[in-house]
Amino acid sequence: MTVISKKSAEHYFWGDQCEGWHLVQSKNLSVIQERVPSGCSEQRHFHSTAEQFFFILSGVASMELDGEIFELNPNEGIYIPAKAIHKLSNQHESDLLFTVTSTPPSHGDRVVI
């Protein structure tokens, strides 16, 4: 076992200005910390088999889930079942920092709408 740190995690960029850190990457589980700057978002999509849980660390997330908008504040989270259409965005001034846990891992399981 090793202690997991954002400093030693695999780092990547996505979208125009967003970034992420792979904290856990296994066959059955993915835990990622991501940063989304003000005004940025992901594309509307769903996952065929992966279930996800988004947990807000700082900032405010707007999560569109099956056509309904949820505002998530620090220390709040939202469960996204498999096949649920969703889109996360940051419509506020400060950076959005959150974790997303997926089981099984969602990479390769994403269908863009």
Side-chain angles (χ1 to χ4, degrees), residues 4 16 21 40-41 52-53 63-64 66-67 71-73 77 81 83 85 87 94 103 105 109:
I4 297 169
D16 292 332
W21 296 264
C40 293
S41 68
Q52 296 184 306
F53 181 73
M63 177 65 80
E64 179 185 335
D66 289 334
E71 291 260 322
L72 303 167
N73 295 291
K83 298 186 174 94
I85 298 170
K87 176 184 175 181
S94 62
T103 183
D109 182 37

Side-chain angles (χ1 to χ4, degrees), residues 32-46:
I32 299 171
Q33 183 172 323
E34 292 191 342
R35 184 187 69 83
V36 177
S38 178
C40 293
S41 68
E42 62 181 353
Q43 296 177 309
R44 185 174 288 110
H45 67 282
F46 68 90

Side-chain angles (χ1 to χ4, degrees), residues 4-58:
I4 297 169
S5 167
K6 181 176 154 184
K7 292 179 184 178
S8 61
E10 179 185 333
H11 179 248
Y12 64 94
F13 291 95
W14 60 274
D16 292 332
Q17 305 170 45
C18 303
E19 59 187 323
W21 296 264
H22 286 285
L23 303 175
V24 176
Q25 294 184 80
S26 77
K27 178 182 172 185
N28 297 312
L29 178 67
S30 168
V31 180
I32 299 171
Q33 183 172 323
E34 292 191 342
R35 184 187 69 83
V36 177
S38 178
C40 293
S41 68
E42 62 181 353
Q43 296 177 309
R44 185 174 288 110
H45 67 282
F46 68 90
H47 300 278
S48 298
T49 57
E51 300 174 70
Q52 296 184 306
F53 181 73
F54 290 77
F55 188 77
I56 309 309
L57 302 172
S58 64

